[in-house]
Amino acid sequence: MRDNKISVERKKYLKKVTRNKIIIFITQILLLVTFIAAWEICANANIIDSFITSKPSRILDTFMNLSQNGLLEHIGVTCFETIIGFLSGTILGIIVAIILWWSNFLSKVAEPFLVVLNSLPKVALGPVIIIWVGAGMPAIIVMALSISLIVTILEILNGFLNTDKEKIKMAKTFGANKFQILTKIVIPANISTFINSLKVNIGLSLVGVISGEFLVSKAGLGYLIVYGGQVFKLDLVMASVIILGIVAAVMYKSVVLLEKLITKTHIIN
Amino acid sequence: MSNKHEILKIENIRKIYQAKNDELEALKSINLKVNEGEFVSIIGPSGCGKSTLLSIIAGLEEKTSGKIYIDNEEIVGVSRKIGYMLQKDSLLEWRSIYQNIMIGLEIQGIKNKENEKYVKDLLKKYNIYDFRNKYPSQLSGGMRQRVALIRTLAIRPQILLLDEAFSALDYQTRMLVIKDVYRILKNENKTVLMVTHDISEAISMSDRVVVLSNRPSVIKKIYDINFDMESRDPMNCRENPKFSKYYENLWKELDINA
Ligand SMILES: Nc1ncnc2c1ncn2[C@@H]1O[C@H](COP(=O)(O)OP(=O)(O)OP(=O)(O)O)[C@@H](O)[C@H]1O
Ligand SMILES: [Mg+2]
C-alpha cells in the first residue's frame, strides 16, 4: 500500500485472481443459459410435457401479463408481511432474550419450554393461529413471527451469555450496574450475533409468510403459487417461484449490506 | 517514613467459597496495613487465594467475614477510591482508545469537563494522545496494557490493585511495561497492591513483599525491600547486590510452602 510500485509477482497474482473470478462468473451464466435453452427446446420438441413443466417463453409471457394484472401488488403484499413478521420477530426476540439474560431465574424456568418450542415445526400451529387471530394478513404475520421468534431468543441469549467475562469484570471494577453492563458491554459485543440472527430470520420469515399465504390468503406470492397449482397454470406457479427467489435474494442482500455498514462504523480491523 | 498516612487497612479477612458438594476455605484470616504511596506485592503458591483477596478488596467478591478500611472508613462493595487492573487488558474493540479510557468515568457518571481535561493531560503526559483515535486492534500488547492502566487511572483512584497485570506479555515487552508502569505510578503517587507469581517482578517494584501460605491462607511473612538507591527503578535495582539476596530468601520461603 505504501509503495506505489507493485512487484511483478503481485501483478501476476492479482491477474490470476481476477481471471478466476471472471471464469467462474462466465461458467455460471453459461450454465443458466444452457438450462433455460434446454428447457425451452425440450418443451418445444415435446420431449417433456410443457403442461406440467411449463416453459421459459411462457413464463416470460406470464411475467409480462402479470405486470399489467397487479403482480407488483402481490409482491408488495408478500414483502410487507415478511418485513413486518421479520421486524416483530426480531425485536420481540431481542427483548425476551434481554429479559432472560437479566434474570437467571426466568431463564432457568424458560429453558425446557424454549427447547420444546424450538423443535416443534411451527407450521403445525397454522390452524390454531388462524382460529385465534382470524384468517387474513394478521395470521400470516403471526406465522412468520412464530417461526423466527424462538430461534432469535435462543441465538441472542446464547450470544449474551457468552460475552467475554473479563470485559464484564472490567466494567464491574468501575462499579457498573446491570443496565450499564448490558448497554456498554453485552449489546455492543454482540453486534455480530444480532446480524447473524437477522440473516437467519429474513429467510425464516419468508418461509412463515409463504406457508401462511398457502393457508389463508387472498393475495401475495404464496397465494399465486397455490392458485396457479389449483387451476393447473404451471406458468403462473413457475413465474411466482422465480420472483420469490429474487425477493429472497434481495432481502438477504439488504441484510448483508446493513452488516457491511455496521461493521464499517463499529469495528475497524 | 514513620509518620506516613495509613491509607488501607485489611482486618481478619476470611473467605469460604460455597460449591454444590463442598465448601472451600480460600482465605483463613488476612491482616494488612498499607501506607499512602507504598508499593506492596503479594506472592504465594498457586491457588492460595491471591486473586480472591484482591477481588474482595475491589468489592467484586463477597467476603465471609472481616473488614476493610480506606482512610479509617469502612468500605462495603465497590469503592471509587480503588482502581483494579486485571491480567487481560479487556479493551473494547468497538471503542476508540479515547472512548475506552473514558468508560470508567462514563459508568460512574462523572464524565465532565474537568475530568475530561484530566484524562487528556494523562494521555499527553504518557504519550497516548497521538493514538487516541485509533482502535485497540491497532496497538501492540505493551501499548494496550498502558492504555488499560490509564483507563484505571482516569477515575483517579487512591489505591491501585494489579492482578498479574503483566503476565500475559512476552518477556521483552514485560520488562519495558513494568518500568513504564512503575514510573507512571510513582509519578502519580499511587498506593499499589500487586499480585504476581514472579518473584523478581515483586522485588523490583515493591517496598514490601507479602508472602501468603498455602490454602487456607494466612500471611506467612512480610519482607521489607530497601535498596538505598537514589533513583531506583525496576531495571537498575536488579543489578543491586541486595536483589539476589532478597530473591533467595523469597524463593526459599515459597519453596518451604510447597
Ligand atoms: N468462584 C469460586 N468458587 C469456588 N471456588 C473458587 C472460586 N474462585 C476461586 N476459587 C478457588 O479458591 C482458591 C483460590 O483462588 P484464587 O484464584 O484466589 O487463587 P490465586 O492465588 O489467585 O491462584 P493463581 O496463582 O492460580 O492465580 C482456588 O483453589 C480456587 O479454585
Ligand atoms: Mg490469580
Side-chain angles (χ1 to χ4, degrees):
Chain A
M1 290 292 261
R2 278 170 280 120
D3 230 312
N4 269 334
K5 274 185 199 155
I6 302 170
S7 71
V8 181
E9 284 81 23
R10 180 90 190 137
K11 253 187 198 159
K12 257 190 194 163
Y13 170 79
L14 287 176
K15 218 174 185 175
K16 203 173 150 195
V17 170
T18 0
R19 220 185 51 206
N20 270 345
K21 261 191 195 160
I22 293 172
I23 291 175
I24 288 171
F25 185 66
I26 290 174
T27 315
Q28 286 167 335
I29 297 293
L30 276 181
L31 212 62
L32 199 63
V33 170
T34 316
F35 175 72
I36 293 171
W39 187 358
E40 183 74 28
I41 291 164
C42 288
N44 285 340
N46 275 331
I47 300 172
I48 53 174
D49 185 355
S50 65
F51 181 65
I52 52 173
T53 61
S54 183
K55 62 180 186 180
S57 57
R58 289 223 310 264
I59 294 171
L60 202 67
D61 277 350
T62 320
F63 207 91
M64 297 304 191
N65 268 338
L66 273 172
S67 309
Q68 293 146 17
N69 300 344
L71 177 67
L72 283 178
E73 258 170 56
H74 287 291
I75 296 176
V77 167
T78 298
C79 285
F80 176 75
E81 289 163 346
T82 308
I83 289 169
I84 298 294
F86 165 74
L87 285 181
S88 50
T90 307
I91 293 169
L92 212 63
I94 291 174
I95 292 172
V96 174
I98 287 174
I99 293 170
L100 294 182
W101 173 83
W102 196 285
S103 160
N104 204 19
F105 173 75
L106 284 183
S107 88
K108 281 270 171 349
V109 170
E111 197 185 321
F113 300 108
L114 287 175
V115 170
V116 171
L117 281 178
N118 187 39
S119 36
L120 179 80
K122 260 58 86 187
V123 187
L125 296 175
V128 183
I129 291 172
I130 292 166
I131 291 167
W132 286 356
V133 296
M137 196 181 271
I140 296 169
I141 290 171
V142 172
M143 194 92 161
L145 182 148
S146 69
I147 273 191
S148 58
L149 182 63
I150 308 293
V151 185
T152 311
I153 296 174
L154 290 174
E155 184 93 351
I156 294 192
L157 181 62
N158 190 36
F160 279 9
L161 294 177
N162 282 320
T163 309
D164 187 353
K165 298 269 182 305
E166 289 291 316
K167 291 200 170 95
I168 293 175
K169 193 170 173 189
M170 181 274 292
K172 280 185 179 165
T173 64
F174 293 113
N177 58 34
K178 199 143 193 177
F179 182 74
Q180 288 173 323
I181 290 172
L182 179 71
T183 53
K184 292 194 190 298
I185 309 287
V186 173
I187 289 179
N190 278 286
I191 294 290
S192 63
T193 314
F194 289 126
I195 290 169
N196 278 338
S197 149
L198 290 185
K199 277 186 190 161
V200 174
N201 280 357
I202 197 81
L204 288 179
S205 302
L206 203 52
V207 171
V209 164
I210 298 300
S211 6
E213 285 179 351
F214 279 1
L215 290 175
V216 293
S217 77
K218 297 162 196 73
L221 292 173
Y223 162 78
L224 280 188
I225 291 169
V226 170
Y227 169 76
Q230 280 166 353
V231 298
F232 260 89
K233 277 194 187 164
L234 263 296
D235 310 338
L236 184 60
V237 175
M238 292 295 185
S240 305
V241 169
I242 290 168
I243 293 168
L244 190 58
I246 295 170
V247 167
V250 169
M251 286 182 170
Y252 186 79
K253 274 284 171 201
S254 344
V255 175
V256 173
L257 217 68
L258 182 77
E259 174 181 23
K260 281 206 179 123
L261 215 76
I262 291 174
T263 32
K264 223 182 216 165
T265 53
H266 260 261
I267 309 155
I268 295 179
N269 282 321
Chain B
M1 275 295 202
S2 56
N3 57 3
K4 270 234 163 171
H5 171 58
E6 175 190 301
I7 191 166
L8 175 70
K9 187 164 83 181
I10 299 163
E11 216 174 65
N12 292 320
I13 294 290
R14 185 162 191 234
K15 175 68 186 180
I16 300 174
Y17 280 113
Q18 295 295 341
K20 255 180 201 149
N21 39 18
D22 203 6
E23 51 178 34
L24 182 143
E25 187 172 14
L27 303 172
K28 191 170 185 180
S29 175
I30 304 287
N31 291 283
L32 186 66
K33 290 174 183 172
V34 181
N35 286 334
E36 192 171 9
E38 212 182 2
F39 200 124
V40 177
S41 288
I42 300 173
I43 60 174
S46 166
C48 72
K50 304 181 290 292
S51 299
T52 302
L53 181 60
L54 283 201
S55 291
I56 287 174
I57 298 170
L60 299 185
E61 191 78 64
E62 301 261 343
K63 50 192 182 292
T64 306
S65 64
K67 288 193 162 102
I68 298 165
Y69 301 89
I70 294 179
D71 288 332
N72 290 318
E73 238 175 82
E74 190 181 352
I75 56 161
V76 181
V78 178
S79 163
R80 295 198 170 186
K81 292 177 177 169
I82 292 179
Y84 192 5
M85 190 172 162
L86 306 159
Q87 182 177 350
K88 277 183 76 181
D89 56 56
S90 290
L91 295 180
L92 307 175
E93 60 267 24
W94 58 86
R95 284 174 171 241
S96 70
I97 296 306
Y98 182 69
Q99 289 168 333
N100 261 292
I101 288 172
M102 292 303 285
I103 194 168
L105 296 174
E106 267 175 44
I107 286 172
Q108 302 188 349
I110 47 171
K111 196 177 153 186
N112 52 36
K113 278 261 145 51
E114 189 203 338
N115 285 331
E116 274 180 47
K117 183 174 178 316
Y118 176 75
V119 168
K120 288 222 169 98
D121 287 344
L122 275 182
L123 293 181
K124 282 179 189 152
K125 201 148 105 195
Y126 300 119
N127 300 326
I128 296 182
Y129 197 71
D130 293 341
F131 300 96
R132 70 190 184 285
N133 293 324
K134 293 218 185 281
Y135 282 77
S137 57
Q138 296 169 296
L139 300 191
S140 66
M143 202 62 192
R144 290 173 65 115
Q145 208 59 7
R146 188 197 288 197
V147 171
L149 176 67
I150 302 298
R151 177 182 64 194
T152 314
L153 293 179
I155 57 163
R156 302 194 215 193
Q158 294 178 328
I159 301 169
L160 232 84
L161 309 176
L162 308 181
D163 191 355
E164 313 244 7
F166 316 112
S167 60
L169 303 170
D170 63 82
Y171 185 79
Q172 204 84 9
T173 318
R174 190 161 77 220
M175 286 303 138
L176 293 174
V177 170
I178 284 174
K179 192 176 170 192
D180 196 36
V181 166
Y182 184 82
R183 181 177 65 97
I184 297 174
L185 291 176
K186 283 291 161 198
N187 225 338
E188 303 292 322
N189 193 30
K190 297 293 177 193
T191 308
V192 184
L193 199 54
M194 175 177 90
V195 161
T196 177
H197 61 255
D198 183 335
I199 298 176
S200 32
E201 188 177 300
I203 302 169
S204 70
M205 296 178 92
S206 318
D207 300 312
R208 280 191 293 158
V209 178
V210 175
V211 184
L212 293 186
S213 70
N214 266 321
R215 216 182 51 228
S217 55
V218 291
I219 293 180
K220 221 177 155 219
K221 199 155 186 175
I222 299 180
Y223 283 83
D224 284 313
I225 309 289
N226 196 345
F227 286 111
D228 297 321
M229 289 170 80
E230 271 293 309
S231 54
R232 168 189 171 183
D233 78 30
M235 297 294 235
N236 65 19
C237 74
R238 282 170 198 254
E239 273 123 53
N240 192 302
K242 278 180 160 179
F243 191 93
S244 52
K245 200 85 202 138
Y246 286 134
Y247 189 95
E248 209 174 304
N249 287 339
L250 282 168
W251 197 81
K252 271 188 196 143
E253 195 68 56
L254 279 179
D255 201 38
I256 297 162
N257 252 317

